[in-house]
């Protein structure tokens, strides 16, 4: 059974590296670029390079819930209509990038400035509007991940284990912008039985996901609530299309080619 499961994962991995949806050839990105988003809604009009947003850098400091729930960032690239005026008003990036907020006792640089931009401000603009300009990042990915437990895919590290080891100190609240979310009782681990015979059950940890997402990032938009006593049905095709688990996994969280990280419950031998 282990041999069958291993062969299945290898085939899934090879097919996912070769072709994306629609038969487009995919290239496996270096770990530091995994999860990177290029934001270009208004950059061209402002005669600026697109913004190169590194998820690894921001998720090393903040929870996903803080940005995608409290600050209102959409879950799809370029779906948030961010303007410079919004940032200068303290919204979106400007909630932290305001020249006043601190992380590890260091001030976070301001996100935007009024046009035309003064010469001394241009370098600050390029810290975000850096795509295609060959600008050296302010923080080095290799140095950051050096002490983290390693994994094969995605960013090449185990974020969950790193957080449990105390390597991360995640910020989950900002003064004046937090949503008044209802406290939920953690239901603990859930066991999800696959429809494919012989495939190990999924062990879904609400604890591990809750650290990053809270409850409201996933429910009810990503995972609609179901009636008590009724089982929700998810398909791998839907997940690969970006629904359910695929809203994060394969984009920022580790990709679905690491089957055993979800399908973790041993299959009973006959």
């Amino acid at each position: 059974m282990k041999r069958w499961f291993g062969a299945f994962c290898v085939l899934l991995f090879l097919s996912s590296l070769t072709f994306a949806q629609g038969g487009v050839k995919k290239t496996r990105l270096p770990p530091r670029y995994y999860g990177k988003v290029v934001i270009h809604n208004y950059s061209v009009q402002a005669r600026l390079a697109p913004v190169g947003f590194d998820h690894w850098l921001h998720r090393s400091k903040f929870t996903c819930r803080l940005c995608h729930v409290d600050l209102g960032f959409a879950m799809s690239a370029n779906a948030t209509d961010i303007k410079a005026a919004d940032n200068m008003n303290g919204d979106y990036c400007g909630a932290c990038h305001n020249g006043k907020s601190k992380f590890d006792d260091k001030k976070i640089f301001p996100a935007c400035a009024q046009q035309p931009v003064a010469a001394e401000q241009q370098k600050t603009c390029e810290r975000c509007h850096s795509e295609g300009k060959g600008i050296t990042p302010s923080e080095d990915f290799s140095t950051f991940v050096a002490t983290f437990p390693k994994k094969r895919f995605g960013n090449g590290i185990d974020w969950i284990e790193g957080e449990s080891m105390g390597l991360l100190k995640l910020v989950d609240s900002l003064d004046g912008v937090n949503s008044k979310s209802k406290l939920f009782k953690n239901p603990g681990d859930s066991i999800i039985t696959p429809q494919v015979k012989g495939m190990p059950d999924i062990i879904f940890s609400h604890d591990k996901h809750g650290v990053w997402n809270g409850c409201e990032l996933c429910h009810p938009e990503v995972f609609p609530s179901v009636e008590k006593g009724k089982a929700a049905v998810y398909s791998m095709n839907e997940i690969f299309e970006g629904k359910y688990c695929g809203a994060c996994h394969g984009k920022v969280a580790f990709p679905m080619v690491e089957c055993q990280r979800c399908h973790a419950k041993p299959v009973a031998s006959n």
Side-chain angles (χ1 to χ4, degrees), residues 75-90:
M75 294 288 283
S76 299
N78 288 294
T80 309
D81 193 34
I82 309 171
K83 299 182 178 70
D86 297 324
N87 290 332
M88 288 186 285
N89 193 45

Side-chain angles (χ1 to χ4, degrees), residues 141-163:
F141 176 78
S142 299
T143 302
F144 169 74
V145 302
T147 58
F148 268 73
K150 302 298 188 287
K151 286 292 183 181
R152 290 183 62 190
F153 303 110
N155 289 126
I157 58 176
D158 190 332
W159 288 95
I160 297 292
E161 184 64 21
E163 190 277 330

